[in-house]
């Protein structure tokens, strides 16, 4: 890259501040050297963001930096992990200093909120593409998996669903609250850690509730009953829907069931744990709603509040479908 790759790393990708004690070598050496705390397990994940696929092309650079890290922190949250370190690979069409400045601000803003240190990475020229890896810890034996749900467990979700999908659907831009939800998803780190002591299985919702709950169910060959009228919707979702005019109810239902990018947690929990779990999440605070029940019979069966069955029109986002 013409304007010195090393200059770019020094200016935009060298973490501010003294850094974490468990980073023995970080950005600037040939590789990072990291000390995993005793009695902990290391949790590692990686996600790539491609312009036009994972975010609209006109997305603000600060939002791209934020979201690239946020989606990884969401995966750590879904394992019940506490985040610690991250690595970052950026492929850029050119060395636009303004872009880099804003990207870096978005990335480090979120990193510092969770005491996550950038410990290395790579930089190359090409079509815009961001890959982030995140690393966290769980006390040995306490991680949550997709596997582990039992028939009779409640199916719960944090926060609200469909906001990011509605922002995309309405083509919202800039400062619209729903667009913020798409650009700056909140990784549910504190909830993920708190749920270690209650949940039997957990996953984060990146591709839509139906698609991601299905992954969780497949892990044990189970099924679920889902009450579609109880799926949590935010105040912003409801008012944007009102503004969009009448007749949007089935769109709203399908977005809450199937739209991606919300990065909420979906987890299962024995009924007996419900009250304690709700108190714990309320103290964070993190909203939580019980939306269904695990059943023996594979598949997801959706019901309306009048008891009728409901067939969603789509299931969720997939990069490769059968016709590809
Ligand atoms: P090498 O040529 O040995 O692979 P690089 O020149 O790619 O090393 O990187 C030099 C140092 O800068 C390494 O510590 C690397 O981890 C770090 N680094 C490179 N790109 C980034 C980036 N985008 N973000 C953070 N650190 C980076
Ligand atoms: Mg080297």
């Amino acid at each position: 890259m013409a304007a010195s790759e090393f200059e770019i790393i020094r200016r935009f990708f060298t973490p501010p501040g003294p850094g974490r004690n468990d980073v023995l070598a970080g950005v600037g050496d040939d590789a990072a050297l990291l000390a995993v705390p005793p009695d902990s397990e290391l949790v590692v994940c990686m996600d790539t963001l491609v312009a036009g696929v994972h975010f609209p092309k006109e997305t603000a650079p600060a939002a791209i930096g934020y979201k690239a890290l946020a989606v990884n922190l969401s995966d750590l949250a879904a394992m019940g992990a506490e985040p610690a370190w991250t690595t970052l690979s950026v492929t850029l069409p050119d060395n636009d200093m303004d872009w880099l400045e804003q990207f870096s601000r978005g990335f480090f803003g979120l990193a510092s909120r969770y005491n996550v240190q950038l410990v290395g990475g790579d930089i190359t020229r090409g079509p815009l593409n961001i890959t982030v890896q995140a690393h966290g810890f769980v006390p040995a034996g306490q991680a949550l998996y997709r596997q582990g749900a039992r028939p009779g467990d409640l199916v719960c979700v944090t926060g609200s669903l469909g906001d990011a999908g509605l922002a995309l659907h309405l083509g919202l831009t800039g400062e619209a609250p729903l667009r913020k939800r798409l650009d700056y998803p909140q990784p549910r780190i504190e909830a993920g850690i708190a749920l270690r002591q209650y949940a039997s299985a957990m996953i984060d919702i990146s591709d839509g509730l139906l698609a991601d709950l299905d992954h969780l169910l497949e892990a044990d060959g189970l099924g679920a009953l889902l009450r579609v009228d109880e799926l949590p919707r935010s105040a912003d979702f409801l008012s944007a829907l009102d503004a969009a005019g009448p007749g949007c109810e089935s769109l709203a239902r399908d977005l809450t069931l199937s739209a991606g990018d919300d990065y909420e947690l979906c987890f299962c929990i024995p009924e007996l744990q419900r009250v304690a779990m709700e108190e714990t999440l309320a103290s964070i605070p993190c909203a939580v709603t019980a939306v269904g029940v695990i059943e023996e019979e594979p598949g997801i069966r959706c019901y309306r509040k009048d008891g009728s069955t409901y067939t969603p029109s789509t299931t969720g986002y997939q990069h490769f479908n059968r016709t590809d």
Side-chain angles (χ1 to χ4, degrees):
M1 205 163 262
S4 168
E5 184 181 317
F6 302 106
E7 178 64 10
I8 292 176
I9 295 167
R10 192 186 61 74
R11 274 183 65 185
F12 302 111
F13 298 119
T14 301
R20 296 173 57 104
N21 293 334
D22 51 16
V23 178
L24 309 179
V27 172
D29 220 311
D30 290 313
L33 187 63
L34 307 165
V36 179
D39 304 320
S40 293
E41 286 157 353
L42 182 63
V43 186
V44 180
C45 62
M46 175 190 274
D47 252 317
T48 295
L49 264 60
V50 176
V53 178
H54 299 94
F55 54 89
K57 287 209 161 107
E58 89 293 352
T59 302
I64 300 171
Y66 175 102
K67 190 165 177 176
L69 180 58
V71 300
N72 279 281
L73 297 188
S74 175
D75 279 323
L76 292 185
M79 302 295 290
E82 176 190 335
W85 311 309
T86 180
T87 54
L88 165 68
S89 173
V90 281
T91 304
L92 295 173
D94 49 46
N95 52 2
D96 178 339
M97 295 291 146
D98 271 355
W99 193 97
L100 282 161
E101 161 77 35
Q102 291 177 54
F103 175 90
S104 157
R105 193 157 33 79
F107 185 91
F108 283 115
L110 180 60
S112 67
R113 192 181 315 162
Y114 288 105
N115 191 24
V116 171
Q117 186 170 336
L118 180 64
V119 296
D122 201 10
I123 181 157
T124 47
R125 174 171 264 175
L128 181 58
N129 183 311
I130 315 292
T131 298
V132 170
Q133 192 175 44
H135 317 76
F137 318 127
V138 279
Q142 290 187 31
L144 289 168
Y145 301 80
R146 294 178 177 192
Q147 197 178 12
R150 297 288 186 84
D153 281 357
L154 301 177
V155 178
C156 302
V157 294
T158 59
S160 62
L161 299 175
D163 290 342
L166 186 55
L168 275 175
H169 180 84
L170 297 175
L172 300 177
T173 54
E175 296 299 303
L178 289 179
R179 176 64 195 235
K180 288 250 153 115
R181 188 75 204 281
L182 174 69
D183 286 344
Y184 295 95
Q186 176 76 58
R188 296 292 187 185
I189 298 290
E190 297 88 348
I193 292 171
L195 285 165
R196 278 180 206 150
Q197 58 177 316
Y198 303 111
S200 52
M202 185 148 73
I203 191 167
D204 71 323
I205 306 176
S206 52
D207 295 333
L209 174 62
L210 286 180
D212 290 314
L213 174 59
D214 197 50
H215 296 316
L216 186 151
L217 296 170
E218 269 176 9
D220 291 297
L222 293 170
L225 172 161
L226 213 53
R227 292 183 294 271
V228 296
D229 293 314
E230 286 172 34
L231 298 181
R233 300 173 181 187
S234 71
D236 292 328
F237 183 98
L238 295 173
S239 56
L241 211 59
D242 271 351
C248 292
E249 191 40 42
S250 79
L251 167 72
R253 259 197 305 277
D254 285 344
L255 286 172
T256 52
L257 278 168
S258 310
D261 269 326
D262 286 317
Y263 298 98
E264 296 292 354
L265 296 174
C266 171
F267 60 95
C268 303
I269 180 175
E271 171 91 59
L272 277 175
Q273 305 270 27
R274 178 178 185 166
V275 173
M277 177 276 290
E278 286 176 345
E279 281 174 11
T280 303
L281 291 203
S283 72
I284 289 178
C286 176
V288 63
T289 312
V291 297
V293 182
I294 298 292
E295 297 179 333
E296 296 271 4
E297 191 191 339
I300 301 176
R301 289 159 291 281
C302 296
Y303 290 91
R304 300 293 313 276
K305 60 172 173 279
D306 64 7
S308 63
T309 57
Y310 181 73
T311 308
S313 57
T314 55
T315 51
Y317 188 80
Q318 288 187 2
H319 288 275
F320 300 98
N321 63 34
R322 277 185 220 106
T323 57
D324 277 332

